[in-house]
Amino acid sequence: MLGLSTRACALLLSVSVVSLATAPSYAQSAAPEAQAPQPAKPKPAKRKRAVVEPAPAALQARAQIGQPTYQSLDVITVAASKTEERAIDALAPVSVVTLEQIQGIQPNRLADVFRAVPGVSFQDRGDDPATAINIRGLQDFGRVAVVVDGARQNYQRTGHNANGSFFLDPELIGSIDVVRGPTANIYGSGAIGGVASFRTKDINDVLRPGERWGVDLNGAVGSNNGRGLGSVFGGVRVDPTVDVFGGAVYRTQGNYKDGAGTEIGNTGNEIAAGLLKLTVRPADGHEIKFGGVFQDYQYSIGQFNRGATTTAAPASAIAGSSVYDSDAKNYTGTLNWKYSKPDDMWFDWNISLYGNRTDNDQVKTYNNRISAGSGVCTIANPGNNISGCVGDRRGYLLDTIGFDVNNTSRFDLGDWRNAVTYGVDAFQDDVSTWDSRGNSNITTPSGTRTVSGGFVQLKNNYSSWLEVVSALRYDHYELASGATSASGERLSPKISVGVTPLQGFTPYVSYAEGYRAPSITETLISGGHATGGGPVLFNCPDGTSGLFCFLPNAALRPEVGKNKEVGVNLKYDSVFTAGDSFRGKFNLFRNDIDDYIDLVASTPERYTSIFMGFPISGTSSKYYQYQNTPHARIEGFEAETMYDAGQWFAGVSATVQHGKNTQTNIGLATVQPRKVTTSGGVRFLERKLTIAALWSAVAANTDIPVGYLPSTAYDLVNLYVTYQPTADITLSFSVDNVLNEYYRPYAIPSSASDGTTQNDAIWSSPGPGIVYKGGLKVHFGGA
């Protein structure tokens, strides 16, 4: 495999050459309508405000599902500033994933659709279908704000997995907006890493222009191992004021094999999901949408032993973990009221109310510590709070309710066009954990957390060459469990300044602060960590005992991210031939995080204990507590480019990150490895046939704390073919991991006792080997 740094330099150099070559030709070209300067005119009594229209090619893309016929960076987004703008024009590191892109790659889980998005990675376990997203090296406990149709997804379960995940099947998604870093602090509290905003499918994703009703049927199968998908989505426009839309999804797969040919236990799952939306337009400019999404995930988490555990030595190498059959149900209900009219300069509002429940019930089906793996407890072998017994149950329940209200008022002062956006938002998490035998109620404590805030943002545009975005956000939080409580508040500023000295060339600078309140787990975790059948080393202050003791920390301070950013947006049309286009976003950033929260071990101390009738002694850390590290820093470079000539297209995205605890100069375990992704393709038969490829070259990140197993370096190559013989039939074929590479995409924490990795974590972390997939989509519709 070629060195990643060499490939990265070559690929990025080629992009730079393209951008430099195109800039002079555009210095004299006509400006696109979105950037054309507006001539002076007398002030009318009431002026219509400008409406950002989608690119014309995007309007035609419905008939070309699965084909990237337009630039995704031209898609309208509101994620960065809550005002409509194209992603390429935003003075922020914004990326958009469209429905056409999602359907073209036939994703099995969400990580698949982000391969070409810079600054985004995932810490997913193969035996858990939940998604754990990482943006710019930050993840867990809400550092990335995840919203689905405006509803926060705050589910968290502590174990040998990421401390923050959510359930969402990619077949439900209509589009995705990603903002990297705290530059989107007005979007909501906590997002010091960024925002991932998911929109589920709606009627406009199925019905074509002129249709009153429409239905999409989709079916797919795949290898490695027995993958299958079936979905149906349809809607009807009852009249111009009422739309009804709904859909259902069923997905299943067996255990997959990694690139080394090893079957990864419990990576099979079964997913059923559905959504329903009702849209009414009671008056001109008003739209009220009622939405509901339900998902049911049936899977098993944990790993079986890889051999007989007869002695301590082989157990360290081949022992798996307890296995739990899991039934995770996710419910999301939303009510959204929008008002917007081109001739109303003062009111452009969005009111959202939502509720979200994640209910994960688990029952033990396998115990790696019981002879022959039967897990049946006897008087002689009664089990314990880790190994337990077959039939032991535990559950994790999170209820989140919230609202988000904002309005934009617009006015002109001379050549200045101004937009003031202001709003308030709040959500409350209610966590309830129970465990019939183990310690899940210790590691994921029950409690409530209320987070609220308000913001005001001023967006100023002068002529066609200057834009200034300034904002101030106020955050407040309260959390409690039993007799322990905590609270805090803060003001967080933001300012971005961009100039366009040459048409299509917009450099900008930005400074933004974000505020993340500590989570319930970080603040209130308390008690002994289960022994798993081993000796009890320490007695804890709360009366429990175990291998070590978790200590609560009511004095835990919130994290504050202070992000400095320099970026360039490049937007050129008809570069080499009529109708071609080039889009590029480049960013340099440094996020300084004050009071970064991490789990810290106490100084090892001596213990003595009795185990199996024999005295034992040694040294180990007695206490683990979430504490504030004074300062952490994550900095890096990101690039996202795409050139589309119609008959062919090519793009490069890149991520280079470094992150450290600046007090110890030790790397952060969650910082992403260097990655360069090259994508491209050709279109034949009047664009009915598209053949595309994606190549991600990823380096291993070795700058991590002692005791972590680094991620692997790897090359992931995927091929995609989409053929549309008629306007209503789409055939898809793809090959994932063409090279059949073994890869682990993230670092894994080691065991505290012997320095080896936790077996259930290392065995479940590799991605699947080569996968062949084929699909058929049929559209029905009429007037």
Side-chain angles (χ1 to χ4, degrees):
M1 185 178 73
L2 294 174
L4 179 66
S5 58
T6 304
R7 286 176 297 189
C9 292
L11 292 170
L12 293 177
L13 179 60
S14 65
V15 173
S16 302
V17 170
V18 171
S19 63
L20 290 173
T22 57
S25 65
Y26 267 79
Q28 304 297 324
S29 63
E33 59 85 19
Q35 295 189 352
Q38 298 181 0
K41 58 182 178 181
K43 274 191 177 179
K46 199 171 190 180
R47 185 178 69 83
K48 289 187 177 182
R49 62 184 173 86
V51 178
V52 180
E53 296 291 343
L59 298 177
Q60 303 169 4
R62 300 290 179 217
Q64 301 291 330
I65 297 297
Q67 300 186 30
T69 58
Y70 64 98
Q71 295 272 17
S72 62
L73 285 174
D74 285 339
V75 174
I76 307 303
T77 179
V78 297
S81 62
K82 287 189 180 286
T83 57
E84 289 188 347
E85 57 189 345
R86 290 181 174 88
I88 188 61
D89 297 326
L91 304 183
V94 180
S95 296
V96 176
V97 181
T98 66
L99 174 62
E100 288 71 29
Q101 291 171 319
I102 295 171
Q103 293 179 332
I105 64 176
Q106 300 179 286
N108 193 61
R109 60 188 305 167
L110 278 181
D112 297 338
V113 308
F114 287 88
R115 301 291 184 195
V117 178
V120 180
S121 66
F122 294 83
Q123 191 170 320
D124 295 342
R125 284 178 59 128
D127 56 358
D128 188 345
T131 296
I133 191 169
N134 177 306
I135 297 181
R136 287 188 170 177
L138 292 172
Q139 63 181 54
D140 298 336
F141 299 121
R143 291 184 176 105
V144 174
V146 176
V147 293
V148 175
D149 292 336
R152 293 283 291 243
Q153 308 291 309
N154 295 339
Y155 177 69
Q156 180 264 320
R157 180 184 73 85
T158 295
H160 296 165
N161 45 270
N163 282 292
S165 58
F166 62 100
F167 292 90
L168 185 61
D169 189 87
E171 186 68 7
L172 296 171
I173 299 172
S175 65
I176 309 168
D177 292 347
V178 176
V179 184
R180 300 181 291 278
T183 187
N185 61 3
I186 67 169
Y187 211 93
S189 179
I192 63 172
V195 175
S197 178
F198 298 85
R199 177 185 64 81
T200 59
K201 288 179 179 175
D202 210 334
I203 193 166
N204 291 328
D205 296 312
V206 173
L207 269 64
R208 297 172 182 172
E211 290 184 339
R212 185 176 177 184
W213 66 272
V215 176
D216 280 348
L217 299 177
N218 187 29
V221 295
S223 65
N224 194 9
N225 175 18
R227 299 164 186 255
L229 167 71
S231 72
V232 55
F233 291 92
V236 59
R237 302 193 192 278
V238 179
D239 58 43
T241 65
V242 179
D243 298 337
V244 180
F245 179 78
V249 177
Y250 176 77
R251 185 189 301 271
T252 184
Q253 72 170 50
N255 292 344
Y256 66 71
K257 292 183 179 181
D258 62 24
T262 302
E263 180 177 315
I264 309 301
N266 292 324
T267 50
N269 54 60
E270 191 174 343
I271 302 167
L275 64 82
L276 184 64
K277 294 183 178 182
L278 170 66
T279 305
V280 296
R281 302 173 186 87
D284 187 22
H286 294 265
E287 181 178 274
I288 302 174
K289 188 182 296 290
F290 303 86
V293 179
F294 168 73
Q295 300 176 86
D296 186 6
Y297 290 74
Q298 303 283 336
Y299 63 99
S300 293
I301 188 169
Q303 295 293 301
F304 298 104
N305 293 334
R306 291 185 176 177
T309 55
T310 55
T311 66
S316 175
I318 64 176
S321 62
S322 295
V323 175
Y324 285 86
D325 274 1
S326 303
D327 182 3
K329 293 183 172 65
N330 181 270
Y331 312 80
T332 300
T334 56
L335 169 60
N336 182 262
W337 179 13
K338 292 183 179 180
Y339 168 78
S340 181
K341 294 177 65 176
D343 59 351
D344 191 336
M345 302 289 288
W346 294 106
F347 295 103
D348 181 2
W349 77 61
N350 183 22
I351 301 173
S352 296
L353 306 175
Y354 62 86
N356 176 257
R357 163 172 284 196
T358 301
D359 186 0
N360 193 348
D361 290 325
Q362 299 183 331
V363 57
K364 189 186 292 290
T365 58
Y366 174 83
N367 171 359
N368 75 313
R369 300 295 183 183
I370 302 297
S371 298
S374 67
V376 177
C377 293
T378 64
I379 295 177
N381 200 342
N384 57 74
N385 56 3
I386 282 290
S387 62
C389 304
V390 169
D392 289 347
R393 291 182 173 272
R394 65 186 186 187
Y396 307 86
L397 176 65
L398 170 67
D399 286 320
T400 301
I401 57 173
F403 69 88
D404 187 338
V405 179
N406 61 81
N407 180 62
T408 299
S409 300
R410 297 173 173 86
F411 59 95
D412 293 348
L413 290 174
D415 289 334
W416 289 91
R417 302 183 307 280
N418 310 285
V420 180
T421 304
Y422 42 92
V424 294
D425 55 76
F427 65 84
Q428 182 179 76
D429 291 333
D430 187 355
V431 178
S432 179
T433 305
W434 61 276
D435 197 331
S436 61
R437 182 187 297 263
N439 69 338
S440 297
N441 53 333
I442 290 176
T443 56
T444 307
S446 302
T448 59
R449 180 178 68 146
T450 303
V451 179
S452 58
F455 70 91
V456 60
Q457 173 187 267
L458 176 61
K459 191 173 185 178
N460 311 104
N461 289 87
Y462 180 77
S463 185
S464 62
W465 64 270
L466 175 63
E467 180 174 315
V468 181
V469 182
S470 52
L472 187 66
R473 178 175 176 84
Y474 168 77
D475 283 300
H476 175 80
Y477 80 94
E478 295 179 355
L479 59 84
S481 178
T484 305
S485 63
S487 63
E489 60 185 356
R490 190 178 191 275
L491 289 171
S492 300
K494 164 192 168 181
I495 186 166
S496 300
V497 180
V499 296
T500 307
L502 299 173
Q503 195 65 48
F505 175 72
T506 304
Y508 69 88
V509 295
S510 176
Y511 176 80
E513 295 184 3
Y515 177 83
R516 185 187 75 88
S519 68
I520 293 171
T521 294
E522 290 170 305
T523 307
L524 306 177
I525 189 170
S526 177
H529 186 287
T531 64
V536 172
L537 304 187
F538 298 106
N539 295 318
C540 302
D542 66 346
T544 60
S545 58
L547 290 176
F548 55 84
C549 308
F550 290 109
L551 294 181
N553 189 355
L556 198 61
R557 297 181 300 278
E559 296 174 336
V560 176
K562 300 178 180 179
N563 190 70
K564 283 72 65 178
E565 191 131 8
V566 177
V568 177
N569 296 338
L570 301 176
K571 181 172 66 173
Y572 301 115
D573 297 312
S574 298
V575 182
F576 299 115
T577 61
D580 70 355
S581 62
F582 174 79
R583 301 290 184 266
K585 291 180 79 77
F586 301 85
N587 305 90
L588 282 169
F589 71 92
R590 188 175 80 182
N591 194 358
D592 289 292
I593 306 158
D594 293 338
D595 291 324
Y596 181 78
I597 299 173
D598 204 357
L599 189 62
V600 178
S602 63
T603 302
E605 57 186 86
R606 191 158 187 82
Y607 64 83
T608 58
S609 181
I610 301 296
F611 182 59
M612 300 181 68
F614 298 95
I616 60 172
S617 62
T619 59
S620 184
S621 294
K622 181 177 181 179
Y623 299 113
Y624 279 77
Q625 184 184 53
Y626 284 98
Q627 296 179 2
N628 292 109
T629 295
H631 185 258
R633 173 175 293 166
I634 301 175
E635 55 191 355
F637 167 77
E638 297 164 346
E640 181 176 11
T641 69
M642 178 60 69
Y643 173 78
D644 196 321
Q647 293 301 113
W648 64 276
F649 56 92
V652 176
S653 68
T655 300
V656 179
Q657 290 182 9
H658 303 281
K660 290 183 180 294
N661 176 334
T662 59
Q663 307 303 304
T664 62
N665 202 37
I666 295 175
L668 302 177
T670 56
V671 168
Q672 301 168 21
R674 298 189 308 276
K675 181 176 77 170
V676 176
T677 297
T678 305
S679 57
V682 292
R683 303 182 180 107
F684 301 103
L685 304 177
E686 298 180 340
R687 303 195 185 187
K688 293 180 180 179
L689 173 64
T690 301
I691 302 174
L694 180 146
W695 168 32
S696 291
V698 185
N701 180 18
T702 57
D703 186 14
I704 53 178
V706 174
Y708 275 78
L709 182 68
S711 59
T712 60
Y714 60 94
D715 289 277
L716 189 66
V717 179
N718 298 341
L719 298 177
Y720 310 105
V721 178
T722 304
Y723 178 53
Q724 197 167 28
T726 72
D728 296 327
I729 297 177
T730 304
L731 300 171
S732 301
F733 176 75
S734 61
V735 185
D736 293 347
N737 196 359
V738 172
L739 304 179
N740 199 30
E741 286 221 8
Y742 173 90
Y743 67 98
R744 285 181 291 98
Y746 55 89
I748 301 169
S750 67
S751 167
S753 59
D754 57 12
T756 60
T757 56
Q758 301 281 4
N759 286 342
D760 67 315
I762 188 173
W763 293 350
S764 64
S765 62
I770 191 168
V771 180
Y772 299 92
K773 294 180 290 188
L776 169 66
K777 183 173 183 177
V778 181
H779 176 80
F780 301 92

